[in-house]
Amino acid sequence: MTSRVPDLIRHLGGLAHRRELLGRGLTRRQVETSWADGEIVRVRHGLYASRGLPDDIIRAARVGGTVSGASSLALRGGWQAPSPRLVVSVAHNARDLRDPDDAGARLDAGRSDVLVLRDRTRFCPRTERLLASPSRAAAQVLLHESPEFAAAMIDSAMRLPHRQRPILNEVLEHLAGHRTARGMIASLDPRAEAGSESIARVRLAQEGIRAEPQVWVDADTRVDLLIDGWLVIECVSVDFHSSPAAYKADRARILHIMALGYVVIEATYSQILFDWTAVSTAVTVALGRHAGARLSA
């Protein structure tokens, strides 16, 4: 009965080397027959997986490692950057790295859509068999992503269910000896409700402008970012304005905020990510009419 093979692989976490299966009493023939019958997936030579595992787990395993960093947080439900790359942790001395989509080809070291980290030796073999823990992944993000993307990824991850959420004290432990990355933790804020909000907040801070996220301006209304108590930045997305009713409701909301005495700048996801100069210019011109929004040096 080959059903023992998929059962054992599931018991091992969904991914198993042939030597592990043979060491638990299975035969080579049982493993090969189970694969031929479509019960399991052969990821690369000598490595098998349960059917139905997420693609990135399979692709990282095919490279020769574990889903990590931004890829790990995204799999758990965190914010994902446009054109994301696959982040894979491998052993420090790993050599036979394969293409994530073709086990028969070696990994092209020049691929921009795959980031290989040689830090898997530190992983817990029991809890990090398939992907890096939330706290380790957050630490990797702070080390290997831009400050604004790192903030967007970790802000959103800190809003996930408890077991999928990074713990900042653990993140700091993983960052021992990395002073710059540890300092970036101060820029995180889980109140942000969208990646574009986090990115705008961090980019404004880089320009010396402090923006507070998700501020209540009356009993029923919150704004995305508030600067100096009067300038509102609303980070808008087509996803939330895809119907005439939603668009109409948002226009009424903006008029209500303005009627409370606030100046409102609306910036789209695309503008924040890909045309920041236009957003920054609008904010700077608005602030030029008032004082006091600049952070102290």
Side-chain angles (χ1 to χ4, degrees), residues 109-127:
R111 284 187 64 156
S112 60
D113 62 340
V114 179
L115 173 64
V116 175
L117 309 178
R118 293 186 175 273
D119 59 358
R120 191 183 182 191
T121 308
R122 306 188 192 99
F123 281 29
C124 173
R126 182 176 60 84
T127 61

Side-chain angles (χ1 to χ4, degrees), residues 119-143:
D119 59 358
R120 191 183 182 191
T121 308
R122 306 188 192 99
F123 281 29
C124 173
R126 182 176 60 84
T127 61
E128 296 178 289
R129 188 178 181 91
L130 300 186
L131 67 169
S133 71
S135 296
R136 189 186 305 278
Q140 293 168 324
V141 161
L142 289 167
L143 288 169

Side-chain angles (χ1 to χ4, degrees), residues 173-233:
E173 290 177 7
H174 290 310
L175 290 174
H178 298 280
R179 183 175 179 180
T180 300
R182 287 170 66 94
M184 289 167 59
I185 288 181
S187 71
L188 305 178
D189 196 322
R191 290 178 293 173
E193 293 188 348
S196 56
E197 291 178 35
S198 299
I199 292 169
R201 186 188 74 246
V202 172
R203 286 181 173 171
L204 287 168
Q206 291 170 341
E207 297 174 8
I209 300 170
R210 179 172 183 172
E212 187 176 356
Q214 295 300 319
V215 178
W216 291 95
V217 292
D218 68 13
D220 303 309
T221 310
R222 274 187 304 170
V223 297
D224 292 338
L225 296 168
L226 182 63
I227 301 171
D228 200 30
W230 62 271
L231 179 57
V232 170
I233 312 296

Side-chain angles (χ1 to χ4, degrees), residues 63-65 89-97 116-118 120-121:
V63 171
S89 285
V90 302
H92 71 281
N93 58 350
R95 294 181 181 178
D96 188 24
L97 304 184
V116 175
L117 309 178
R118 293 186 175 273
R120 191 183 182 191
T121 308

